[in-house]
Amino acid sequence: SQQGEEDPQALSIQEGENATMNCSYKTSINNLQWYRQNSGRGLVHLILIRSNEREKHSGRLRVTLDTSKKSSSLLITASRAADTASYFCATGASAAGNKLTFGGGTRVLVKP
Amino acid sequence: NAGVTQTPKFRVLKTGQSMTLLCAQDMNHEYMYWYRQDPGMGLRLIHYSVGEGTTAKGEVPDGYNVSRLKKQNFLLGLESAAPSQTSVYFCASSSRATGAGELFFGEGSRLTVL
């Protein structure tokens, strides 16, 4: 079963706009990670946030984590056409033997 | 630096045929994983290994076998392919248990079973 569930499933925005996607999960976690997948390619790690952290930044990416609501969000600021991809959250939890469990992903289309 | 390399990239099988997918990593990682990706399902863990000579079942292990005879290689085998195994398969590796670190993925192997 999927631990993380992304919302929305698909997102279409104009270049320069911000893109926000959310991830909800069901059980306690040790960390939450976000990955990007370009069409036909493998997944690439973007950012990891630990359960005792609330916010992390990496370039144009901002990730928040609310463990009380069991949710995380990924914000991409000033989006570019090259940001067009699918984005996945993945949770690491002791209950899962510290293996990552992936959600179904959010497909983001950035129109030039 | 190749990272994680998967072969073959594409394969078409008939029901009942067998095949092996090879994953090789050059990062000296202890942990290696095989996932399958189906539309709308995200990635599901098939089998994984925490070191040379070890293997363990993941979420969807039925119909697959694996071996980790060398630290750098992780093989995924299908003994008798079924149409339900049509999918894109991804290998990944990590220097730490995934509860602590990131995964490095290969480019995927697209398998079609007719």
Side-chain angles (χ1 to χ4, degrees):
Chain A
S1 62
Q2 294 174 215
Q3 162 75 312
E5 296 287 345
E6 286 93 338
D7 174 63
Q9 290 188 330
L11 181 60
S12 180
I13 57 175
Q14 294 292 139
E15 204 165 26
E17 294 181 339
N18 295 342
T20 300
M21 60 210 84
N22 304 296
C23 172
S24 60
Y25 56 92
K26 299 174 183 175
T27 62
S28 296
I29 61 171
N30 297 325
N31 72 73
L32 187 144
Q33 303 182 30
W34 285 92
Y35 288 80
R36 184 188 74 236
Q37 183 181 33
N38 291 94
S39 181
R41 306 296 298 273
L43 280 73
V44 175
H45 181 263
L46 295 176
I47 200 164
L48 180 154
I49 186 165
R50 303 190 191 286
S51 60
N52 61 352
E53 298 175 312
R54 292 298 167 257
E55 187 172 314
K56 284 191 82 170
H57 297 256
S58 177
R60 293 183 295 111
L61 304 179
R62 172 178 170 253
V63 169
T64 62
L65 179 63
D66 187 334
T67 54
S68 67
K69 295 182 179 179
K70 291 186 171 58
S71 68
S72 174
S73 67
L74 170 66
L75 168 68
I76 305 173
T77 60
S79 62
R80 306 166 181 169
D83 294 326
T84 293
S86 291
Y87 293 82
F88 295 87
C89 70
T91 54
S94 298
N98 285 320
K99 299 182 293 297
L100 278 184
T101 304
F102 286 82
T106 293
R107 297 188 309 278
V108 175
L109 172 63
V110 181
K111 294 178 284 187
Chain B
N1 189 351
V4 178
T5 303
Q6 294 181 228
T7 53
K9 289 182 171 51
F10 301 93
R11 185 73 187 268
V12 178
L13 289 178
K14 294 181 180 179
T15 296
Q17 287 185 321
S18 63
M19 74 158 297
T20 300
L21 298 177
L22 171 63
C23 176
Q25 53 96 2
D26 62 3
M27 296 172 283
N28 201 36
H29 285 169
E30 289 291 339
Y31 301 86
M32 296 187 74
Y33 308 83
W34 276 108
Y35 287 89
R36 61 178 288 173
Q37 184 177 35
D38 301 294
M41 296 292 292
L43 275 73
R44 292 181 292 170
L45 182 64
I46 305 171
H47 285 281
Y48 65 101
S49 169
V50 300
E52 181 178 314
T54 74
T55 63
K57 295 180 180 179
E59 182 185 357
V60 287
D62 293 342
Y64 305 94
N65 56 76
V66 287
S67 64
R68 182 102 181 267
L69 298 179
K70 294 184 179 180
K71 185 177 183 178
Q72 64 268 33
N73 295 337
F74 195 29
L75 278 65
L76 177 70
L78 285 71
E79 292 185 347
S80 180
S84 61
Q85 294 178 303
T86 293
S87 187
V88 182
Y89 292 86
F90 287 96
C91 177
S93 71
S94 177
S95 61
R96 305 170 69 181
T98 52
E102 66 180 278
L103 294 181
F104 294 82
F105 282 85
E107 291 295 292
S109 297
R110 184 176 296 274
L111 174 65
T112 301
V113 182
L114 302 175

